[in-house]
Amino acid sequence: MSAGVTPRHAHHTGGLLGSIYLPRTVDALAFAMSTYGTPLLVLVTTRSPALTGLAFALEWIPRLAAFGWAGGIVDRRGAAVVFFLASLGRALVIAAGAVLLYLHPSGAVASVTVMALAAVTGVLTEFSYIAAETAGAAAGRRAGERAHRVQAVLLGIDQTATLAGPALAGLLLLAGPGQMLAVITAFSLLAALLALRTPPSPIPPARAPKGNTGAGLLTGWRTIRSLPALGWLVTGLTLSNLAIGFLQAAGPVIVVHHYGQSTTAVGLVWSAAAGATLLSVTLCRFAIDRLGLWPVGAACAAFASIATLAAAQAPDYLSYLILVAVLMAAEGGMTVVLRTLRSRLIPPEKFGSTLSVTILILLLPFPVAGVLTALTPPDALGHVITACAVLQALGLFPAFVRLRTDPALRT
C-alpha cells in the first residue's frame, strides 16, 4: 500500500468510528438489553410466566408489522433523522415507564406498564435498527472495495451486543427494575445524541418512494426480484434459518432430555456459538480481502450444511455444542456476504424498503421452527434436523452458484 493511501484510510476509519460504529454500538446495546430484559422485567414484576410469554410476543409482533413503515420512512426522511427520533423516543418511553414502576411497583398499573413497554420499545427499536442498518450500508458503499470490512465490523458489533446486553440487563435487574431501565434510557439517549453525527442520506428524500406500509414492502419486494443474486442468497439463507431456528427451538429438549444436561448448558451452547461467530466474522473480513466474496461465502455454506447434518447425529453434548458453534460461525460468514451484497446492489433510495423485506423473509422460518418443534416427538427431532440440513444445502448451493456467475458482481 502506498504512503498516500494509508493516511486516507486511517482518516476514513476514524470517521466511521464516530459517525457509524459508535452510534451503532450504543444502539445495539440498548436493543439487546430491551429485547432480552423486558421479558425478565415482566416476570419479576408480574410473577406470571404466561404474561412473560405474552410480553415476548408483544415485542416481536409489532416489530414485524413495523418493518414496512420503518423502511419506507427511512427512505423518505433519511437514516440519521429516523435514528435520532427512534432512539430519543425509546429513551422517553422507558424513562416514563421507570417513573410509573417507581410509583406503582406492583399491581395492575405495574402490569400494564411493563406490557406497554414491551410493545412500544419493540416498535421504536425496529425503527432505530433499520435506520442504523441503512446508515451502515451507505458507509459500505462509500468504502468501495472495503465494503465487506465495514459490514464485518457492524456484524461484530451486533454479536458483541447480543453477548453483553442480556447479561447486563439480567445483572442490573437483580438490583431492581429501576436500575435496568435507567441504563437502557441512558444508552438510548446517548444513541440519539450520537445519531446527530451520522451522515445524512446521500439521496434527497424527494426521490424516495412514497406510500403506505404495503407500498414500502412492495417496493422492497420488486427490488429483490430485480436483483437475482440477492434474491437467491436471501432464499438460501431463509432455508438455512429454518435449520438454525429449529436448533434454537428444540435446543432445550435436545440438551436437557437427550443429553441429560442442565438448563444452564442450553445457554452455554449459544454463548459458544456467539463467540464462534465473532471469530468467524473477523476471519472472513480478511479472507474476503484475499479470496473474494464468492469463495468465502461458498465455503461457509458448505460448513453450515455439513455441521447441521452432523448435529443430527451428535453422540454427546460436547460434540453437539461444537457443531452448533461451527454452524453459527458459518452463518456469520454468510451474513457478511449478504450485508456486502446488499450494500453493493440495492439502490440507495430503495435501501430501507428492501432491507425491511429481506429481514422479514429471513425471520419467517423462526415461528415455523417453533411450531415444528411443538409438533415433533422428542425421539424424532434428529430426523427433522436431518431434513432441515438437506433443505439448507438445497437452498444454499444454487444461491452461491448464482452469486459466482452474476454479471453485476464482476466489476
Side-chain angles (χ1 to χ4, degrees), residues 22-23 25-31 33 83-96 124 128 180-197:
L22 189 55
T25 299
V26 177
D27 185 70
L29 280 170
F31 181 111
M33 289 184 68
F83 194 1
F84 169 77
L85 292 176
S87 298
L88 181 61
R90 183 176 56 210
L92 295 175
V93 167
I94 294 176
L124 292 172
S128 70
M180 186 191 79
L181 293 176
V183 172
I184 299 176
T185 299
F187 277 139
S188 298
L189 279 175
L190 183 56
L193 292 174
L194 291 171
L196 298 175
R197 303 179 62 182

Side-chain angles (χ1 to χ4, degrees), residues 105-199:
S106 61
V109 174
S111 299
V112 171
T113 298
V114 292
M115 300 301 284
L117 279 176
V120 178
T121 57
V123 172
L124 292 172
T125 295
E126 203 54 63
F127 274 84
S128 70
Y129 174 75
I130 295 293
E133 276 285 276
T134 302
R141 284 191 294 271
R142 290 191 295 271
E145 294 182 355
R146 295 180 178 271
H148 62 280
R149 287 176 169 257
V150 175
Q151 297 305 323
V153 172
L154 293 175
L155 183 57
I157 289 171
D158 289 345
Q159 288 295 322
T160 302
T162 300
L163 272 173
L168 182 58
L171 185 63
L172 289 168
L173 197 55
L174 292 176
Q179 283 79 352
M180 186 191 79
L181 293 176
V183 172
I184 299 176
T185 299
F187 277 139
S188 298
L189 279 175
L190 183 56
L193 292 174
L194 291 171
L196 298 175
R197 303 179 62 182
T198 301

Side-chain angles (χ1 to χ4, degrees), residues 54 127 208 287 365 397 410:
L54 180 58
F127 274 84
F397 177 76
R410 294 179 182 174

Side-chain angles (χ1 to χ4, degrees), residues 241-257 266 269-270 320 324 365-376 381 384-385 388:
N241 278 350
L242 179 61
I244 292 171
F246 188 76
L247 285 170
Q248 287 180 347
V253 179
I254 294 171
V255 173
V256 176
H257 293 283
V266 180
V269 169
W270 298 106
Y320 176 81
V324 172
F366 288 94
V368 174
V371 173
L372 195 58
T373 301
L375 296 177
T376 304
L381 291 176
V384 178
I385 295 173
C388 288

Side-chain angles (χ1 to χ4, degrees), residues 295-321:
V296 173
C300 288
F303 276 114
S305 298
I306 293 171
T308 305
L309 187 61
Q313 307 297 328
D316 52 42
Y317 169 73
L318 181 59
S319 60
Y320 176 81
L321 181 148

Side-chain angles (χ1 to χ4, degrees), residues 26 30 57-58 66 86 89 131 135 142 177 185 212 282 328 331 341 356 360 370 375 381 386 400:
V26 177
L58 284 175
R142 290 191 295 271
T185 299
N212 56 23
T282 302
M328 296 309 297
E331 184 74 12
L341 198 66
S356 297
L360 266 177
L375 296 177
L381 291 176
T386 300
F400 282 95

